[in-house]
Amino acid sequence: MSKRIGLYPRVRVEGGGSGAVSQGGAVLLAETVRKLGLDTAISTALAPWRKPRAVHDPGKVLLDVALATALGGDCLADVAMLRAERDVFGPVASDPTVSRLIDALAAAGPKALTAIRSARAEVRSRAWELAGANGPAADGSVIVDIDGVLVPAHSEKQDATVTWKKTFGHHPLVAFVDHVRAGSGEPVAALLRPGNAGSNTASDHITTTGIALAQLPKHLRRGRQTLIRTDSAGGTHAFLDWLSKPGRWLSYSVGMIITDAVHQAVLKIPKKAWTPAYDPGGTERSGAWVAEITDMPDLTTWPKGMRLIVRKERPHPGAQLRFTDLDGLRLTCFATNTKGGQLADLELRHRRRARCEDRIRNARDTGLRNLPLHDTAQNQIWLEIVSLALDLLAWMPMLALTTETRRWEPKKLRLRLFSAAAQLVTTGRRRWLRFTTRWPWTNEVIQAIDRLNALPSPG
């Protein structure tokens, strides 16, 4: 008779091991940094903050925190996971050194932010160039989504106030470049604001858009090929006037509030003017229609060339209708200055703005769930660190992964690739990371490393 020992085999546990590397798959991110020249760019940008005879380079310190955040860390002290693997990540600064750098950058204010953002913009252009047909601007156009995000605070922090949802914290505005269906998206702006900041404050939208445009390659910073997409918070006179200013000529697709004038215009639309809306796959959607009402309400105070497009749809089960809805159908409206094109295509393009919510969810999983520092200037630097981490989580799949794996979100990347352990072996004066063949995604890690190695090194 066999003795029952439980559902899992029993193993003995002890310390003192060597040769094993935890988070071995994170070498994908380190190799992405090296191939894009991000380490050199950040080091050069932060050179003014390097003290004489300093042991640690400020750029390396900032990148280490960003790498730890990309691996799931949510505070400065989580850089310890890299410090434990010196042979893979190099020398990592102590916690006091990291804190002193953040304080120094925060004290420098806009100067430090400009340095970090300039380095990111420089590397972004190289990443898109190396990505080629896989880049977000491969067809010559680019889409930037802007949205607000509530970040709760669980202690008294500078500028933490009651938010419009009656929570307590901050209300930053963020912007992401949409990678469309082939990938995820990458951050291009993060503006920290108090918790009571308005959702539709035009000046904040203008500032955020300016930061985002500065992150794009120069030929995309103005012109119709760059589309700015927002929800109804961006549907203000001042913001649309700024986007349409001569010399800037940006395209836009912004949500609009259903005012009484819009509602009255919808009532006058003849039945034959409604055309079927599209599903995400581009096929006709049952129970949804779109129509244009540009010539009905008075738009003389709005920018020239603005078009108003409305959509009506049978509400989902359990959805609550509003007073402005029509005959039991949910109404939505958006404005765009795109000329031509089928209404259903323009409406589907605008509705895909919902992908920005996925980017925000991923950002929450990558350091944005909580702002760990006290001062606003310190937390603005933390937002730049989060943006760096999200950049790496977007650039690595864009350059090294294919098809379905390129769409993996940060949580899945950490679970399947980054958390893979490996054995560190030194032979022939070279160090090798050997991943176990038992790990289900070892092939994905090896193939991704091979693709990164095949890329040209920065000149």
Side-chain angles (χ1 to χ4, degrees):
M1 178 178 178
S2 61
K3 186 176 181 179
R4 179 180 176 85
I5 60 173
L7 298 178
Y8 295 95
R10 183 181 180 186
V11 295
R12 303 290 183 180
V13 178
E14 64 179 4
S18 62
V21 176
S22 60
Q23 300 286 337
V27 70
L28 288 168
L29 297 177
E31 186 64 14
T32 300
V33 168
R34 192 181 69 82
K35 281 295 184 178
L36 293 178
L38 181 59
D39 49 354
T40 303
I42 289 290
S43 176
T44 302
L46 298 187
W49 287 272
R50 181 164 190 171
K51 296 181 179 180
R53 294 182 293 180
V55 175
H56 296 281
D57 182 276
K60 173 68 161 56
V61 174
L62 198 75
L63 270 179
D64 284 341
V65 180
L67 280 172
T69 306
L71 295 176
D74 60 4
C75 65
L76 299 180
D78 286 333
V79 77
M81 72 173 74
L82 304 188
R83 193 182 298 120
E85 306 295 352
R86 183 186 179 95
D87 291 332
V88 177
F89 301 106
V92 176
S94 65
D95 290 347
T97 300
V98 173
S99 295
R100 284 194 295 269
L101 174 63
I102 299 302
D103 289 341
L105 296 177
K111 183 178 179 181
L113 294 176
T114 299
I116 297 171
R117 291 166 180 168
S118 298
R120 289 176 56 213
E122 174 189 340
V123 175
R124 193 180 315 280
S125 295
R126 174 169 170 80
W128 290 10
E129 180 182 349
L130 290 177
N134 293 327
D139 62 352
S141 63
V142 68
I143 298 175
V144 178
D145 290 317
I146 300 175
D147 206 348
V149 52
L150 296 180
V151 181
H154 303 288
S155 62
E156 293 287 345
K157 297 179 181 179
Q158 188 177 12
D159 287 338
T161 62
V162 176
T163 70
W164 63 275
K165 278 196 173 183
K166 309 304 180 185
T167 58
F168 182 80
H170 297 83
H171 187 194
L173 271 180
V174 294
F176 293 86
V177 167
D178 187 17
H179 283 195
V180 199
R181 299 184 66 185
S184 58
E186 53 191 275
V188 286
L191 178 67
L192 185 58
R193 305 188 301 165
N196 58 3
S199 297
N200 60 346
T201 305
S203 59
D204 289 343
H205 277 78
I206 291 172
T207 300
T208 302
T209 305
I211 297 172
L213 293 175
Q215 284 293 305
L216 304 180
K218 288 186 178 180
H219 69 282
L220 294 173
R221 295 177 184 177
R222 63 184 68 241
R224 297 294 193 201
Q225 71 276 10
T226 299
L227 175 72
I228 307 298
R229 200 163 55 180
T230 75
D231 58 10
S232 59
T236 60
H237 287 268
F239 184 50
L240 293 185
D241 287 341
W242 187 86
L243 294 175
S244 306
K245 185 177 180 180
R248 193 170 288 119
W249 301 120
L250 296 167
S251 295
Y252 59 80
S253 181
V254 302
M256 300 292 285
I257 297 175
I258 303 292
T259 63
D260 183 65
V262 172
H263 188 257
Q264 293 300 320
V266 172
L267 294 177
K268 299 176 183 178
I269 301 176
K271 187 175 181 179
K272 63 180 180 180
W274 292 98
T275 60
Y278 286 164
D279 275 325
T283 59
E284 288 190 6
R285 183 182 182 91
S286 176
W289 303 268
V290 293
E292 184 170 358
I293 59 170
T294 301
D295 298 331
M296 295 184 179
D298 183 11
L299 300 180
T300 55
T301 59
W302 293 90
K304 291 184 62 176
M306 189 181 87
R307 303 170 64 186
L308 276 184
I309 299 172
V310 293
R311 167 192 172 97
K312 66 178 182 180
E313 181 182 22
R314 295 192 186 98
H316 300 292
Q320 185 176 2
L321 292 174
R322 298 164 295 199
F323 287 110
T324 53
D325 290 333
L326 175 68
D327 296 331
L329 299 175
R330 172 62 56 85
L331 288 179
T332 56
C333 178
F334 72 98
T336 183
N337 60 350
T338 300
K339 297 180 179 179
Q342 294 188 13
L343 296 183
D345 289 327
L346 296 176
E347 194 276 333
L348 178 60
R349 182 189 68 178
H350 178 74
R351 191 152 34 94
R352 284 175 173 158
R353 191 205 65 83
R355 282 198 285 251
C356 188
E357 300 297 335
D358 297 331
R359 314 298 170 243
I360 290 175
R361 186 184 69 251
N362 292 336
R364 290 184 185 277
D365 294 333
T366 313
L368 196 58
R369 188 170 301 279
N370 174 55
L371 299 179
L373 306 170
H374 178 271
D375 295 348
T376 296
Q378 294 173 327
N379 281 323
Q380 182 63 67
I381 297 297
W382 176 257
L383 284 186
E384 294 302 314
I385 292 172
V386 170
S387 297
L388 265 173
L390 291 170
D391 278 338
L392 291 174
L393 292 172
W395 292 337
M396 188 280 290
M398 185 171 67
L399 297 174
L401 302 180
T402 59
T403 58
E404 183 63 30
T405 56
R406 186 186 165 186
R407 291 191 290 270
W408 285 357
E409 295 187 348
K411 277 188 174 181
K412 187 173 288 189
L413 289 172
R414 293 171 192 138
L415 177 66
R416 297 187 174 184
L417 301 187
F418 303 154
S419 65
Q423 182 183 16
L424 186 65
V425 179
T426 301
T427 177
R429 296 184 180 180
R430 292 186 178 183
R431 287 177 297 180
W432 295 82
L433 272 182
R434 289 180 177 171
F435 293 87
T436 176
T437 56
R438 297 193 305 271
W439 189 249
W441 301 281
T442 291
N443 285 338
E444 279 74 10
V445 175
I446 300 303
Q447 291 170 7
I449 285 291
D450 289 342
R451 294 188 187 98
L452 290 173
N453 289 336
L455 296 175
S457 298

